Amino acid sequence: MKNILRLFTLTVAIVLTSCDAQKTATQTESSTAASTQVSTGDQKNILFIAVDDLKPLLSNYGNSQMKTPNFDRLAKMGVTLTNAHVQYAVCGPSRASVMTGTKPDRTKVWDLQTDFRQSAPSLISMPEYLIQQGYETTAVGKIYHKGSSAEGHDGKSWSIPHTLPDDYDPKYGEPAFSYYQDPANKAKYDELIEEARKKGMKQNGKQRNYAFKKFKPSTESADVPDTAYQDGLYTVEALEKLDALENGSKPWFLGVGYQKPHLPFVAPQKYWDLYNRDDIEVAEFQKLSEGTPKFAFHSFGELRAYSDIDNSLREGDPLPIAKQKELIHGYMACISYIDAQIGKLLDDLDRRGITDDTVIVLWGDHGFHLGDHTEWCKHSNFEQATHIPFMFAGPGVAKNKKNDAPVNLVDLFPTVFELAGVPQSSQTDGKSLVPVLDNDPQTSLEMDYAYHQYQRGPRMGYGVRTNRYRYTEWHGNDYRSYDTYKEDNIVGRELYDYEADPLETKNLVNDPAYREVVAQHKAKLKSHLQSPPNR
């Protein structure tokens, strides 16, 4: 009954919003920030799949140990971009960047608290722009970072409200702290909550914080169905939203944001069973890179916050091998769990007969360290943190192709707009990738590098990634790209050669043999930093 009521509510919302298309086309106060030309052509529907903390540890990216048949299925339907990078390797800045189509130094979001609506109020979101173009827009799950988005998960982005479903099967109930379904873990939390009460903590928030600090496992493998965890519910909700959207009269944008494989690594037992832990290999290189500034590394505080991780570990300290294997196993299981959800979405498009006429894009908001350089999580300018899966399918996209051109996540919406028949927004800094999504393997892009940045205290590290190299400069004194570029403000530099040293074991920036390479990449980075918006 609850699902029927939700579907009825969604359908009513679509009918109401469809009554006044002119109003939705002009509703934003910031329309001067983007083109206001409304397309009258054949606009395509858009399925937008965001996956949290997903590195390209996928079978279609050449990782044969992975059980990800639906990523393979999507890859056969379209183009897999194998050298794609985020602009900032942590959720809040990365998502603010892609959702506005602008660089992090334009959103002024460099942390997990800042809302771009406050830091850069002249910007609009790209779903908001699509509303201007006559689209119905809605989403489920994590599209923006929850801690740094406006009310309603950035309510201006959605003509139909965004949702985070929580109607769990009563047999299993709500996961403890939104994560844990194992009965033993839930019983432990109940004990700790009671302990907090006995200590005089009367507020629920204080009780929860007390329990969470005492017991916060980094993994769980409960024998439960997909819908016992959040992402399974997100899929159910997404299909209900799709019912309502298909019953409407407008082209639609449906965002589906999955939270795994973000920590903690919790997934139904059947996905853990796909992998034998004894066969799992840990990272080959588990040292700090030779010659790299120590501030380029971090001590994975996100992981150390879990109660089964030694909180005294710091940069250069590897985790015990058994714990590494457990974590990698959990990360792989979570990916296979998400793979199954993607399969359900694709099955539903097929059932409706709309697959070939729907623009599909799938992306990760950043990569993830799994022990390389003794690093875990994201939060760096290294390959494992910036490199993401980035896939397109649908009308105008070649089938079963790969392209290794260096591209940026900020290129997503310009590409989707061209594929969907939507006029380009004048706001976006990215470029359309349609030239490398067709059947011509000789096509290249004008920009031959991806770019990224990450902050360490008063230092901001800016980097460019070409097909073979990565060059990074660390600028001090809270420098940003809109400030004057000064050589004497550079406090560290890095160069890595991925043909000679794919594991980034040595910083080559001072190697005489690479002097010309450094000069070439420095020129690219300097040009990028000094370029005006929309370039």
Side-chain angles (χ1 to χ4, degrees), residues 56-64 66-69 71-72 402:
L57 186 64
L58 302 166
S59 48
N60 64 299
Y61 277 83
N63 295 284
S64 59
M66 293 303 299
K67 310 298 183 184
T68 50
F71 280 96
D72 289 343
K402 291 184 177 181

Side-chain angles (χ1 to χ4, degrees), residues 88 103 139 146 168 247 274 332 435 479-480 511 527:
Y88 204 109
K103 304 170 187 176
K146 296 175 185 177
Y168 293 94
N247 286 326
L274 294 173
M332 295 165 69
Y479 169 84
R480 296 296 185 269
D511 188 327
S527 173

Side-chain angles (χ1 to χ4, degrees), residues 342-407:
I342 291 168
K344 294 172 186 177
L345 295 178
L346 297 180
D347 285 347
D348 204 62
L349 294 183
D350 286 347
R351 179 182 66 81
R352 298 171 188 276
I354 61 174
T355 304
D356 292 339
D357 206 40
T358 301
V359 175
I360 304 173
V361 58
L362 182 147
W363 55 283
D365 62 347
H366 43 69
F368 204 87
H369 292 283
L370 290 172
D372 63 282
H373 304 87
T374 71
E375 299 279 74
W376 293 84
C377 309
K378 45 272 189 184
H379 313 113
S380 84
N381 277 320
F382 292 111
E383 181 79 0
Q384 296 304 312
T386 71
H387 190 200
I388 59 165
F390 201 16
M391 303 169 64
F392 289 88
V397 182
K399 295 185 183 299
N400 200 24
K401 300 289 184 181
K402 291 184 177 181
N403 191 288
D404 63 359
V407 298

Side-chain angles (χ1 to χ4, degrees), residues 267-413:
Q269 179 67 51
K270 61 186 176 181
Y271 299 108
W272 290 75
D273 292 342
L274 294 173
Y275 304 99
N276 183 340
R277 191 172 299 180
D278 292 339
D279 295 335
I280 292 174
E281 297 182 357
V282 299
E284 180 180 346
F285 180 71
Q286 297 198 34
K287 298 179 182 179
L288 303 185
S289 307
E290 180 184 342
T292 298
K294 191 168 183 179
F295 54 70
F297 303 94
H298 65 88
S299 58
F300 49 94
E302 179 184 3
L303 179 62
R304 287 189 291 103
Y306 288 84
S307 58
D308 54 345
I309 304 298
D310 183 353
N311 194 35
S312 69
L313 295 173
R314 291 297 183 268
E315 298 93 331
D317 297 333
L319 288 178
I321 294 298
K323 179 56 70 173
Q324 290 190 41
K325 288 201 169 195
E326 176 191 339
L327 290 168
I328 296 171
H329 191 177
Y331 188 83
M332 295 165 69
C334 286
I335 291 175
S336 289
Y337 173 42
I338 297 307
D339 178 85
Q341 308 315 305
I342 291 168
K344 294 172 186 177
L345 295 178
L346 297 180
D347 285 347
D348 204 62
L349 294 183
D350 286 347
R351 179 182 66 81
R352 298 171 188 276
I354 61 174
T355 304
D356 292 339
D357 206 40
T358 301
V359 175
I360 304 173
V361 58
L362 182 147
W363 55 283
D365 62 347
H366 43 69
F368 204 87
H369 292 283
L370 290 172
D372 63 282
H373 304 87
T374 71
E375 299 279 74
W376 293 84
C377 309
K378 45 272 189 184
H379 313 113
S380 84
N381 277 320
F382 292 111
E383 181 79 0
Q384 296 304 312
T386 71
H387 190 200
I388 59 165
F390 201 16
M391 303 169 64
F392 289 88
V397 182
K399 295 185 183 299
N400 200 24
K401 300 289 184 181
K402 291 184 177 181
N403 191 288
D404 63 359
V407 298
N408 296 291
L409 183 57
V410 78
D411 299 329
L412 186 153
F413 273 105

